[in-house]
Amino acid sequence: ILKEIPLQDVRNFCFIAHVDHGKSSLSSRILELTGNQGPEAQALAWKIAQGLAAGDAPVNPDAANREKIELLDSLAVEQQRGITVKASTATMLYQHDSAVGPRGTLLLNMYDTPGHVDFGREVIRSLCFVQGAVLLLDATQGIQAQTWSVYEKAQSLPHPPEILLALTKIDLENARPVHVALTACDWLNWDDPDTIIPTSARNRVGIQQVLDAVCAKVPSPTPIDDDNDTLRAQVVDSWYDSRGVNCLVQIVSGEMKESDRISIVGDNMAQALSYSVQEIGLLLPKACRTGTLQRGQMGYCRFGLRDPRQAMPGTMLILNKDCNKQLLLPSIPKETETRSVLYASVHPQDVSGFDDLCNAVNRLALNDTGLEVQKTSSVGGGEGGGPFLGPGLRVGFQGLLHVEVFQQRLQDEFGIEAIVTPPKVPYTITYLANKRSNLEESYTEVVEDLRNWPEPGVKVKIMEPIVDVRIIARVEDAGGVMDLVQRKRGTELRTKPIDEEKWLFTARVPWAEVAIDFHDQLKNITAGYGSLDTSEADPPLAEGALSKVDIMLNGEVVEPLAFVCHRDNAQGEARKVAQKLQGVLPRQQFVTAIQAKADGKIIASERIKAFRKDVLTKSGKTVGGGDQTRKMKLLEKQKKGKKRMQDSGKVKLSQAAFNSVISRAS
């Protein structure tokens, strides 16, 4: 049947929305309706759909008939957190009147995308391979920050997909579908609110209507200009499993078969290594081996790659014999390229576990191409951790949630409790020409590792990354939100009412302030109702009066605990970090002195008292009787021993110590 479906009967679409607006739940119901979950589930879904069309009351599902979001959210961290981390896809067959082929059947390729801003590039990548996108709006919450963001991303593409609107969770008691639909029409410039489809994944309401709208309104893929049946397959995604690297590909032209010799090529069409195609199939979302993929189809293939980064999204696969031909190769926007915005060092709890940590992180990097991994030195006090943490890995992330997901996956999949230092943002520093420092000409460098921060007294110009922040919150939370933006050094703060209950806040805020705990504080201020979205500002950098704050334990600098903040806030934040460290660092047999230093001066200090043994009592009796000299000798001996331990002993750092730096503004 697949061979009889023409390109005109192919529909590529995705679901986009804010976090927790029901993308995975609705996707699972569509898989149920199209038969991808088995004939019994399909028969039940059609029976309920026909009953709803006839005016029957919605069926209240029991636990056995709940949405099976684990079909698409297969990672343990996705199921535990209830969020989508990585975009997933599924291919379906669906009979519809719009089909022009002899079978009257459409081939549907569906994407379920993440909703969190940290994984926004997954959304952009998915939008590049579809001709339609269903934008979901929670009927209880309405437009949120990411709703607007993903809508703008879709509209900004060179070939924007056809947008459909749907309301989710209309069965909840506090749902306001009419109000949300009218607000969406106003803010998204939507013409007709009657075209917004009301749905409830839990009660299976509106599932068939969404599917029929996709079939009728989403256009089929456009054939490539020089379509001459020459194989051109574009890589959509790649991942690693126990059998090796899998590539999700979209066949632009021609046909791919098992045992074909293919090559990975770029724009220059240079001769490349050839690989033998070992296995081909469709994702339903479970893998179903078919042995061939034709034009318009999307499926997986295995051909002996060892690293998914050899076939990044947008890469083209062609037959090896066609490498010297001049072929038109489609491309995807540069925005889909992964770029780290936060950097942190990762260390094992015990130095002996460093090799295991390296192997685990390398395995994770095979499935998460957003990670940038490199080893750090254990010598000195740099990002390697020095004597406090030992050797580690320097890792680039897409955001703070990405850091948390990475840490949880290490624990879930490999049983490794790693220590992740506070994430740091890159700074652009210009060293100014100065006769005293014998610098004749100014030069600029990007500092991602704080051990490369300029020494006090050196004349520099520091530029920090800036982001545009978009916040949607309730009217009663307006004062708290504006105060938060001001405390985070936000500028150009603007407000605009969305409706009688919610306001939109926009501002320019330093990325370092957002990356620390901005989202957590926003949730606390708004009782969980506020939503946040960020995007790169224009211009992306701004000059700042910044200082690096070093944390010292017993006079020794612990570089992984260092942080950068505004010069006026350095003392206050340093005191908070010192006080929090005093509460989380373990008590030792010696005094632990915690000091914070900025611009060459000590600006905060705390002490952790040592455990003390009563050396004046032995076997319940006082040593020396009434001889004061004997007592003083014992106390002096104990004092010298404590001093030696303080000089040679080391404080063990835990994850709680680094969390003290992350939450210093709380």
Side-chain angles (χ1 to χ4, degrees), residues 387-388 554 556 588 590 645-652:
F388 293 95
N554 291 336
E556 190 167 2
Q588 307 288 339
F590 50 86
M645 292 177 67
Q646 186 175 17
D647 293 338
S648 60
K650 297 301 177 186
V651 179
K652 185 177 181 180

Side-chain angles (χ1 to χ4, degrees), residues 24-46:
S24 298
S25 298
L26 191 59
S27 299
S28 70
R29 289 306 192 196
I30 286 182
L31 291 174
E32 184 183 69
L33 193 67
T34 56
N36 287 45
Q37 296 185 27
E40 293 183 2
Q42 184 182 27
L44 176 62
W46 275 107

Side-chain angles (χ1 to χ4, degrees), residues 594-613:
I594 305 169
Q595 295 175 306
K597 182 175 68 173
D599 298 326
K601 300 177 182 178
I602 302 296
I603 58 175
S605 179
E606 297 289 343
R607 294 170 69 86
I608 301 177
K609 294 182 179 180
F611 287 117
R612 183 181 177 187
K613 180 181 178 181

Side-chain angles (χ1 to χ4, degrees), residues 219-235:
S220 59
T222 303
I224 198 167
D225 291 341
D226 64 342
D227 191 356
N228 53 9
D229 293 332
T230 302
L231 173 63
R232 274 163 286 188
Q234 193 166 27
V235 176

Side-chain angles (χ1 to χ4, degrees), residues 109-129:
N109 296 314
M110 177 182 68
Y111 290 84
D112 177 30
T113 64
H116 197 278
V117 63
D118 283 11
F119 310 106
R121 282 180 174 79
E122 288 274 320
V123 179
I124 298 178
R125 174 177 59 79
S126 300
L127 288 170
C128 293
F129 296 98

Side-chain angles (χ1 to χ4, degrees), residues 298-548:
M298 185 180 299
Y300 74 93
C301 65
R302 295 191 180 100
F303 50 92
L305 281 185
R306 295 186 177 182
D307 190 337
R309 286 164 288 198
Q310 294 176 263
M312 297 296 287
T315 304
M316 296 300 299
L317 306 178
I318 65 172
L319 294 176
N320 182 253
K321 64 180 182 179
D322 296 330
C323 282
N324 294 325
K325 293 182 180 179
Q326 292 297 322
L327 299 175
L328 181 62
L329 300 179
S331 60
I332 60 176
K334 294 292 184 181
E335 288 81 358
T336 60
E337 296 180 359
T338 302
R339 183 185 60 180
S340 298
V341 295
L342 290 177
Y343 297 88
S345 56
V346 183
H347 304 265
Q349 293 279 2
D350 189 89
V351 177
S352 60
F354 179 65
D355 290 338
D356 292 337
L357 176 66
C358 289
N359 294 332
V361 173
N362 287 334
R363 286 286 301 275
L364 277 185
L366 293 176
N367 277 335
D368 188 351
T369 53
L371 295 175
E372 295 181 21
V373 183
Q374 67 183 63
K375 290 186 178 181
T376 60
S377 172
S378 62
V379 180
E383 287 282 355
F388 293 95
L389 291 176
L393 297 172
R394 186 169 177 276
V395 183
F397 298 95
Q398 306 302 304
L400 203 56
L401 179 63
H402 193 195
V403 178
E404 296 175 5
V405 168
F406 166 81
Q407 201 167 1
Q408 186 172 341
R409 289 188 67 185
L410 278 179
Q411 171 67 30
D412 293 342
E413 300 176 24
F414 302 97
I416 296 177
E417 293 187 9
I419 294 177
V420 180
T421 63
K424 302 172 179 64
V425 304
Y427 295 92
T428 302
I429 299 180
T430 301
Y431 290 82
L432 304 177
N434 187 5
K435 292 183 179 179
R436 290 185 178 180
S437 58
N438 297 323
L439 185 62
E440 298 180 356
E441 187 176 349
S442 301
Y443 69 95
T444 301
E445 67 176 12
V446 177
V447 174
E448 298 171 351
D449 187 342
L450 291 188
R451 63 180 171 179
N452 298 325
W453 193 265
E455 295 293 329
V458 178
K459 288 189 175 182
V460 294
K461 178 182 178 182
I462 303 174
M463 305 290 287
E464 59 180 335
I466 304 294
V467 293
D468 287 329
V469 170
R470 180 185 290 159
I471 300 170
I472 294 180
R474 299 176 301 178
V475 175
E476 56 262 38
D477 300 322
V481 171
M482 289 189 287
D483 179 64
L484 173 64
V485 172
Q486 291 175 355
R487 284 191 285 110
K488 294 294 186 177
R489 299 191 286 126
T491 59
E492 301 180 20
L493 175 62
R494 295 184 177 89
T495 62
K496 186 176 181 180
I498 294 179
D499 53 30
E500 65 274 10
E501 297 180 358
K502 289 189 295 187
W503 276 13
L504 168 68
F505 305 82
T506 58
R508 288 168 52 90
V509 184
W511 174 231
E513 299 285 356
V514 178
I516 299 172
D517 59 353
F518 191 99
H519 189 260
D520 291 340
Q521 290 196 45
L522 176 65
K523 288 296 183 182
N524 291 336
I525 290 171
T526 62
Y529 286 97
S531 61
L532 169 70
D533 177 55
T534 60
S535 59
E536 187 177 279
D538 184 21
L541 299 174
E543 185 175 359
L546 305 177
S547 292
K548 175 190 175 185

